[in-house]
Amino acid sequence: MDTVSLPMPANAPAPGTCVRVERPEPALAIVVFDPPHRSFPVFDAPLVRDLRTVVDTLRADKSLRGIVFTGRKPDQFLAGADIEGIGSITDPEVFRRACHELHDLFNTIAGLEARTVAAVGGPVPGGALELSLACDRIVATDDRSTRIGLPETQLGIIPGWGGSHRLPLRIGVPAALDAILTGRLFDARKAQKLGIIDRVTKPEYLVRIASDIAMGRMPCPRKTRGLKSVFVDRNPLALALIGRKARKGVDAKTRGKYPAPYEAIQLVLGAPSARHSTWATSEADAVAKLGVTPECKALVSIFFGNEKAKALGKGPDGERPAAVEHAAVVGAGTMGAGIASVLAQKGVRVRLADLSSEALGKALAGHRKDLSVKKSRRRIQAYEFDAAIDRLDAVPGTIGMGLCDFAIEAVAEVLEVKRKVLGALAQDMADDAILATNTSSLSVDAIAQDLPHPERVIGMHFFNPVPKMPLVEIIRGHATSDAVVTRTAALALRLGKTPVICRDVPGFLVNRLLGPYLDEAVRLFVGGVEPLRLDRVMLDFGMPMGPLALLDEVGIDIAGHAATSLHEGYGERMTPSDGLQRFLDDKRLGKKSGLGFYQHKGGKPELATDLDSFQRPSGVSSLGDDELVDRMVLAMFNEACRALGEGVVENPEALDLATVFGMGFAPFHGGLLRYGERRGLSTIVERLQALAKAPDVQGRNPGRFDPAPNLTQAAAGSGSFRSK
Ligand code: NAD
């Protein structure tokens, strides 16, 4: 085949260079994916082109008894489809044709007379697994890097190269549905247990064992599925029940915002009875439909934003900074305990200090508990449990911290206390050891003032709960050096977090945007909007939690403190509502005190019964749902434009990423700015102008809804904040 439908990358190498065939013995062919233009092989147009040629040649070779498909290294098989390609295709026909080409290619592989074995390792997602499923057997390395699965629904599409058909036939409908709907990537042992792969081996034996299986010298029986599983797949009633339950689960999780899981359910349920001629068409149709949806494009853009963030952990020439070996964490409360535990779990030796021995004891117990859960779920081995426990030491004072190469303080949010703690660490530690603060509202520059070598002082703002929240804002002070920023970002990445670099401004980025959003919610509540309705409209919008529920979760005192510091930092447009004062006076602080907007008695929180006594009904209670959403979301959007205009983050992609990972801003919108761009910046400017004139229950917020200058400019120009 000369041409393929997938977009050809600009740096496409010459035909025949991406797939190599080795013949270690006359009847055996080893097909190696080794594209010269990729540091990691990807199923892009040049690779598909060359694989087609190779497969056609091998099909014609009647002397062959075995064929092994493998990567250039045991941990580099193939990274699935070229996601850049998915993002760039706008014509559904291109998706459809590409699916049919890949179906044809994989069907040819499935029909080869020689015995085929996929020898896989490292990431084996999506198209890489679909190719493997077309082979007679799959052998995988038991290496930690091996991750096998079909994550397409996470990108707004479905497995479209045979996966939504071949996986259910291999492992049964219920297991395949779970794998495809969660998009989970399994380690080799789990994949073997599920029946996705046939054998696990050490990386150094991968090709040898695969070759022996391909040549029939080594038995490799396929795990048989029990009769019960086969019966379920053939029973229309059972399938209908499974389908109903799956749809209900997706409804609850996504509120119907993502079309891909529903398409996946339909295809997987139909797999056991589908005829060969129909499944391929249905799969290709579904990909053609889904691939061009805004949801798919938004999810792909987040994927790329995340990939871009990974580059922050490397220097300008791609060099990696020295890995942090020993870290000091001061403050063992909510945040410090979480930070210390995550560091220890990721291989850093940690010394954790606190004035309170009770806090230290609690932190150690929490660390042990977290690891125990992981061990009991077999996510870590016993030796990893022991090692992670050993790596975290609780120490009185700053004993032994002088040897650490990185320190992070998570003590009380008081400037003098933080300065004192970092000052003491600076005296003990080497001049180039990094001093980080987890402050959420103080200025990093103010903290760094008078510390020796301020170039090594930086903000590392984790979110609560630390083990779960994926974002870390890296706050660069005036004096912070590039090398310190890079090394801190590299540490965040090592902890499995996504770093976003921010300037040292009040609230940094995420809290600065949450401020006006939550404040608008409080104003609407005080104005008489039913609290459950407020939370519901934002859940319907796609937020993971309603704003009032979020206030309870964060703590009404913390939110109040943040609102005050934003007001001090930005002036009138951040004037906080006085609606929470009585909550604060009554020490009604949300979840931590058992009562806020909701009653928290364990189990599902219930709405507090006395909330109407906090309301001063006004016209806002008659506003429609869309208007309520606009008041909250556009207050935040306008502030995001201002932050972008001030260069708080480097680019719109970073801002979008921070909103998705730091506040759970609906991923199907692709981030806050992308949401606005898709809706139309001119429409938003008009809406803001109208809101700026609308009456407010607590008087005006001068400036909050006045369109940011860069927004007006972008609306009048390209309609986007990004350079094309
Ligand atoms: P916390 O009150 O739970 O813990 C603070 C701990 O610091 C306490 O255990 C206290 O004993 C200890 N401490 C105070 N002074 C000390 C000193 N001089 N030396 C050693 N230990 C000392 O507070 P937290 O919620 O973990 O917050 C800590 C920091 O993280 C604050 O700067 C806060 O703004 C920031 N932060 C908090 C959150 C959050 O949601 N809680 C989120 C992001 C950032």
Side-chain angles (χ1 to χ4, degrees):
M1 188 195 299
D2 293 331
T3 57
V4 281
S5 297
L6 292 170
M8 201 47 87
N11 62 344
T17 52
C18 297
V19 183
R20 198 171 72 234
V21 181
E22 295 169 2
R23 299 290 292 259
E25 45 189 302
L28 174 68
I30 315 276
V31 179
V32 185
F33 301 114
D34 192 11
H37 63 302
R38 298 271 188 191
S39 57
F40 202 105
V42 167
F43 247 125
D44 59 2
L47 191 127
V48 171
R49 171 197 67 195
D50 291 355
L51 181 59
R52 179 82 246 184
T53 311
V54 163
V55 167
D56 287 342
T57 311
L58 296 179
R59 182 166 55 164
D61 186 344
K62 300 296 171 205
S63 69
L64 278 174
R65 274 176 47 214
I67 303 174
V68 171
F69 292 91
T70 196
R72 55 162 80 115
K73 289 184 191 163
D75 62 352
Q76 283 202 12
F77 179 58
L78 264 178
D82 171 19
I83 295 173
E84 213 168 335
I86 297 176
S88 67
I89 300 171
T90 51
D91 178 358
E93 274 318 302
V94 176
F95 276 114
R96 197 189 315 275
R97 274 203 310 275
C99 284
H100 283 307
E101 280 162 17
L102 269 299
H103 285 147
D104 190 52
L105 176 56
F106 292 174
N107 286 342
T108 308
I109 291 173
L112 287 171
E113 272 176 38
R115 191 174 164 88
T116 51
V117 179
V120 309
V124 190
L129 176 57
E130 291 174 300
L131 162 76
S132 307
L133 287 168
C135 294
D136 296 317
R137 293 291 183 272
I138 306 175
V139 182
T141 66
D142 62 1
D143 193 67
R144 213 168 227 298
S145 65
T146 299
R147 288 266 174 257
I148 303 167
L150 295 176
E152 285 86 345
T153 52
Q154 308 303 301
L155 289 174
I157 51 171
I158 50 127
W161 297 347
S164 53
H165 184 72
R166 287 199 170 98
L167 190 66
L169 293 192
R170 169 100 35 126
I171 66 172
V173 166
L177 256 187
D178 181 61
I180 291 173
L181 292 181
T182 59
R184 203 174 297 147
L185 297 177
F186 302 103
D187 63 37
R189 298 267 165 208
K190 179 77 182 166
Q192 186 180 27
K193 205 165 159 209
L194 285 168
I196 299 175
I197 64 165
D198 302 287
R199 188 173 171 136
V200 171
T201 178
K202 296 251 166 284
E204 54 272 33
Y205 304 137
L206 179 67
V207 174
R208 206 176 81 200
I209 290 204
S211 301
D212 284 348
I213 294 170
M215 295 301 283
R217 293 189 289 254
M218 184 180 277
C220 183
R222 169 142 294 168
K223 188 177 171 206
T224 49
R225 280 170 52 207
L227 266 182
K228 196 173 140 207
S229 160
V230 175
F231 174 74
V232 166
D233 285 6
R234 300 226 172 121
N235 182 339
L237 194 66
L239 289 179
L241 284 173
I242 291 168
R244 194 178 319 151
K245 194 166 160 229
R247 283 189 195 95
K248 227 169 129 189
V250 174
D251 285 345
K253 213 165 147 204
T254 69
R255 300 176 89 84
K257 298 290 184 189
Y258 299 82
Y262 298 99
E263 294 283 344
I265 293 171
Q266 197 165 333
L267 285 165
V268 172
L269 290 178
S273 57
R275 277 190 306 168
H276 190 78
S277 55
T278 53
W279 70 255
T281 311
S282 314
E283 228 188 37
D285 286 350
V287 174
K289 187 159 78 179
L290 295 167
V292 295
T293 55
E295 290 82 5
C296 171
K297 302 301 181 204
L299 292 170
V300 167
S301 79
I302 295 168
F303 174 87
F304 279 113
N306 204 23
E307 289 298 296
K308 223 167 154 180
K310 290 184 186 158
L312 300 175
K314 291 186 196 156
D317 298 324
E319 70 281 10
R320 289 177 193 279
V324 170
E325 303 277 352
H326 292 87
V329 179
V330 184
T334 313
M335 298 303 288
I339 295 167
S341 177
V342 172
L343 282 164
Q345 292 188 38
K346 295 293 178 182
V348 182
R349 287 214 70 93
V350 185
R351 299 184 88 81
L352 174 64
D354 200 292
L355 295 176
S356 146
S357 51
E358 197 190 331
L360 284 173
K362 231 171 120 189
L364 291 183
H367 179 53
R368 179 172 285 276
K369 190 170 164 209
D370 194 26
L371 286 163
S372 302
V373 171
K374 286 189 175 141
K375 193 168 82 169
S376 70
R377 292 186 183 157
R378 294 171 187 243
R379 298 216 342 247
I380 55 168
Q381 310 269 343
Y383 75 90
E384 293 170 300
F385 173 91
D386 293 340
I389 294 280
D390 285 351
R391 278 194 290 265
L392 177 54
D393 286 327
V395 291
T398 53
I399 291 171
M401 290 190 173
L403 295 175
C404 294
D405 45 356
F406 193 98
I408 179 157
E409 71 72 24
V411 298
E413 188 73 347
V414 178
L415 183 61
E416 283 318 314
V417 177
K418 289 191 184 290
R419 275 190 182 154
K420 214 170 130 193
V421 165
L422 289 182
L425 286 167
Q427 276 193 348
D428 282 358
M429 295 171 76
D431 288 349
D432 60 352
I434 294 177
L435 301 178
T437 167
N438 184 46
T439 180
S440 42
S441 60
L442 299 170
S443 150
V444 172
D445 283 338
I447 293 172
Q449 210 182 10
D450 300 335
L451 285 178
H453 298 286
E455 72 282 356
R456 39 81 176 264
V457 180
I458 192 161
M460 194 176 189
H461 184 216
F462 287 85
F463 290 76
N464 187 15
V466 177
K468 287 212 178 112
M469 289 297 284
L471 184 73
V472 172
E473 288 178 332
I474 308 274
I475 319 301
R476 166 180 215 137
H478 270 112
T480 315
S481 72
D482 289 347
V484 167
V485 171
T486 306
R487 195 159 179 225
T488 307
L491 179 63
L493 287 162
R494 178 168 164 202
L495 302 185
K497 308 291 180 195
T498 297
V500 168
I501 296 170
C502 301
R503 271 186 46 208
D504 184 19
V505 297
F508 310 132
L509 181 71
V510 170
N511 286 348
R512 171 173 174 177
L513 305 187
L514 277 175
Y517 166 70
L518 293 175
D519 189 61
E520 276 306 310
V522 172
R523 284 166 186 272
L524 290 167
F525 159 71
V526 174
V529 181
E530 217 195 311
L532 282 181
R533 182 171 164 230
L534 268 178
D535 276 355
R536 198 244 320 139
V537 293
M538 288 317 300
L539 286 171
D540 286 347
F541 177 82
M543 298 302 271
M545 195 180 264
L548 304 182
L550 180 60
L551 279 164
D552 269 15
E553 200 64 36
V554 170
I556 288 168
D557 53 339
I558 304 259
H561 180 70
T564 308
S565 72
L566 288 176
H567 186 208
E568 282 165 15
Y570 298 104
E572 265 185 323
R573 74 172 188 276
M574 292 280 196
T575 310
S577 149
D578 63 9
L580 294 181
Q581 196 50 52
R582 247 182 69 206
F583 279 67
L584 293 171
D585 295 342
D586 297 351
K587 303 251 175 306
R588 181 176 176 149
L589 306 181
K591 193 173 172 182
K592 63 176 130 179
S593 70
L595 183 64
F597 289 95
Y598 291 83
Q599 303 177 65
H600 304 265
K601 299 180 185 159
K604 198 170 171 231
E606 283 171 25
L607 194 71
T609 49
D610 60 347
L611 288 177
D612 49 359
S613 70
F614 293 86
Q615 297 185 301
R616 304 197 288 274
S618 70
V620 293
S621 54
S622 61
L623 294 177
D625 287 0
D626 289 349
E627 190 127 7
L628 296 180
V629 169
D630 268 1
R631 286 196 81 99
M632 292 182 271
V633 173
L634 297 191
M636 172 162 64
F637 180 81
N638 206 22
E639 195 58 34
C641 297
R642 287 180 199 279
L644 184 70
E646 292 164 20
V648 173
V649 284
E650 273 185 357
N651 50 48
E653 289 80 15
L655 195 147
D656 279 339
L657 202 62
T659 57
V660 171
F661 289 157
M663 64 171 81
F665 188 84
F668 64 88
H669 286 310
L672 184 55
L673 291 177
R674 210 182 149 96
Y675 157 78
E677 288 169 331
R678 196 178 137 214
R679 188 167 159 189
L681 297 186
S682 330
T683 312
I684 290 191
V685 169
E686 281 166 27
R687 286 293 297 132
L688 283 169
Q689 284 163 342
L691 289 171
K693 285 188 205 132
D696 187 294
V697 61
Q698 295 187 317
R700 294 280 168 72
N701 263 315
R704 177 171 294 178
F705 289 118
D706 291 347
N710 59 335
L711 166 60
T712 320
Q713 209 179 354
S718 68
S720 168
F721 292 105
R722 326 170 193 242
S723 44
K724 298 279 176 211

